[in-house]
Amino acid sequence: MATKKSENKVLAQNKKASHDYFIEDTYEAGMVLTGTEIKSLRRARANINDAFSTIRNGEVFLHNMHISPFEEGNRSNPADPTRTRKLLLHKEQISKLIGASKRDGYTIVPLKVYIRNGYAKLLIGLGKGKKQHDKRATAAKRDAQRDIQRALRENQKR
């Protein structure tokens, strides 16, 4: 019996994205990688904290994602670890992203990189930037929820 390879191991995550943006919609995109970049990704040698996406000529590109060069790599190692990488999406998804990113305050934010069925995937989100008072409100809501959970646990112990 053949086993289907379906691992969803998160290799890199942008934890600051949910703090800085209201994520309204998410899309799963493939990435065009060269040389030994996939080997470095499988070793979780990637960073997407400073990454961002743009749309040019009907194609989506990822900028500033850092993939460290593979140590045992050969001449097919890319020279620039933060090179621009093309994202693979369906045409309908790209048209939705184009329409949404034209609106005021919306941007395309990379959320996490993972492996699915042997292919490197990037979860991107359509986000609207939070203002400072929004960030404070989110933190206050999280603290209140934590206090409620703590009170419930204390009540159950009695």
Side-chain angles (χ1 to χ4, degrees):
M1 180 193 268
T3 59
K4 188 175 179 185
K5 192 176 176 184
S6 179
E7 60 208 67
N8 282 335
K9 181 180 173 191
V10 175
L11 305 172
Q13 192 167 7
N14 189 355
K15 294 180 181 178
K16 244 177 97 171
S18 62
H19 182 265
D20 292 338
Y21 299 97
F22 292 114
I23 305 297
E24 295 186 2
D25 202 5
T26 59
Y27 299 94
E28 182 182 69
M31 291 188 288
V32 176
L33 302 173
T34 61
T36 55
E37 286 180 329
I38 187 66
K39 291 182 179 184
S40 291
L41 266 182
R42 287 184 192 278
R43 291 186 177 181
R45 309 271 294 153
N47 184 359
I48 60 170
N49 290 337
D50 298 328
F52 62 96
S53 296
T54 59
I55 300 175
R56 286 191 314 241
N57 300 328
E59 295 178 333
V60 183
F61 293 95
L62 179 67
H63 303 274
N64 286 348
M65 177 182 168
H66 187 277
I67 298 178
S68 298
F70 189 62
E71 295 87 18
E72 295 86 30
N74 56 10
R75 60 190 162 113
S76 66
N77 260 346
D80 184 19
T82 59
R83 71 178 183 84
T84 302
R85 294 169 179 88
K86 185 177 174 182
L87 298 180
L88 305 172
L89 290 162
H90 292 284
K91 197 173 264 190
E92 304 95 36
Q93 292 174 329
I94 294 173
S95 64
K96 284 181 186 177
L97 285 173
I98 289 172
S101 65
K102 298 283 185 202
R103 288 186 277 165
D104 191 32
Y106 283 89
T107 186
I108 304 167
V109 183
L111 300 175
K112 64 174 137 178
V113 178
Y114 53 94
I115 302 286
R116 170 174 277 166
N117 296 334
Y119 294 103
K121 300 290 183 178
L122 176 73
L123 186 69
I124 57 174
L126 183 65
K128 184 173 172 70
K130 285 185 181 179
K131 306 277 190 256
Q132 189 65 35
H133 64 275
D134 292 331
K135 293 178 187 178
R136 285 191 204 114
T138 303
K141 191 175 183 182
R142 184 179 59 234
D143 291 342
Q145 194 66 27
R146 191 178 303 136
D147 291 341
I148 290 170
Q149 291 298 323
R150 188 179 300 129
L152 285 174
R153 277 195 308 268
E154 291 295 323
N155 223 1
Q156 287 178 351
K157 286 182 181 178
R158 292 181 191 174

